[in-house]
Amino acid sequence: MARECGGCTLCCKLMVIPELAKPKDVWCQHCAIGEGCNIYDQRPGSCRDFNCAWLMSEGLPDHWYPARSKMVLANELDGRRIAVHVDLSRPDAWRQAPFYDELKQLTAGGARQVVIYVGARAIALLPDREIDLGECAETDRIVTYQRVGPNGAEWHAEKVGKDDPRFAN
Ligand code: SF4
Ligand code: SF4
């Protein structure tokens, strides 16, 4: 991994940590904000396993550095989906330049699914439009697919239960 977290600890706020019953969007009690983890050697598996997409993908430009962009990008579904977790201190960060255009480029031709999370609200960014899916419970999953509408093929997204076969983990 060429990149390092440096002074970023944003995933310790934005992500759910089941082992600690830590909900989304609140700082972990063990986080030294902007410095690191106070229980690094004993941190839970979820923390050990998580590397954000900025850390993993050198193709993502530096301006996506989470501490500055206020967004944590996570690869899901074997890289077919990018989940964009937006810090509530800047809920419209994803709509700002250059981020919005770059997210749209990721969806071009359906190459990648992009789902934006702002608090509990989820928005599916699709090649031809966006769909506000409203509040999602932690057990909800999001599926995106193409279907034929009155004007031809169009993209669609919906919330399903975590055991729905259309959501392939
Ligand atoms: S969001 Fe990414 S860069 Fe920031 S602390 Fe987490 S893994 Fe490191
Ligand atoms: S246990 Fe450590 S690494 Fe995990 S969320 Fe808390 S501060 Fe971050």
Side-chain angles (χ1 to χ4, degrees):
M1 222 174 335
R3 285 173 162 161
E4 295 180 355
C5 298
C8 179
T9 50
L10 195 59
C11 55
C12 301
K13 177 184 180 188
L14 300 196
M15 307 305 284
V16 172
I17 308 294
E19 299 95 323
L20 300 174
K22 188 197 94 56
K24 193 169 158 49
D25 301 320
V26 297
W27 284 106
C28 173
Q29 59 180 322
H30 303 296
C31 185
I33 298 169
E35 294 176 17
C37 175
N38 285 329
I39 58 161
Y40 188 78
D41 290 338
Q42 289 82 40
R43 68 196 188 288
S46 300
C47 307
R48 292 176 189 274
D49 294 343
F50 183 76
N51 291 303
C52 76
W54 179 83
L55 204 57
M56 300 295 288
S57 315
E58 287 182 60
L60 267 185
D62 276 344
H63 53 251
W64 282 100
Y65 180 48
R68 278 196 299 273
S69 69
K70 300 300 179 190
M71 290 175 274
V72 175
L73 272 55
N75 279 309
E76 295 182 347
L77 304 178
D78 294 326
R80 287 175 286 125
R81 174 176 295 174
I82 295 271
V84 182
H85 298 271
V86 185
D87 191 351
L88 289 175
S89 73
R90 207 187 298 165
D92 62 345
W94 65 283
R95 287 206 180 273
Q96 306 303 311
F99 303 110
Y100 184 81
D101 285 348
E102 291 182 8
L103 290 173
K104 283 295 284 185
Q105 284 166 19
L106 288 176
T107 70
R112 204 90 68 96
Q113 304 170 25
V114 174
V115 180
I116 319 288
Y117 292 94
V118 184
R121 179 176 161 222
I123 300 147
L125 200 58
L126 302 169
D128 54 358
R129 62 201 172 123
E130 60 189 62
I131 296 180
D132 190 334
L133 295 159
E135 294 210 351
C136 286
E138 282 178 18
T139 52
D140 285 338
R141 301 291 181 266
I142 293 165
V143 292
T144 59
Y145 52 89
Q146 268 188 306
R147 67 182 182 188
V148 178
N151 301 314
E154 59 184 24
W155 284 90
H156 194 64
E158 63 180 284
K159 281 185 289 194
V160 298
K162 66 180 173 55
D163 299 322
D164 191 295
R166 287 174 293 170
F167 184 80
N169 251 317

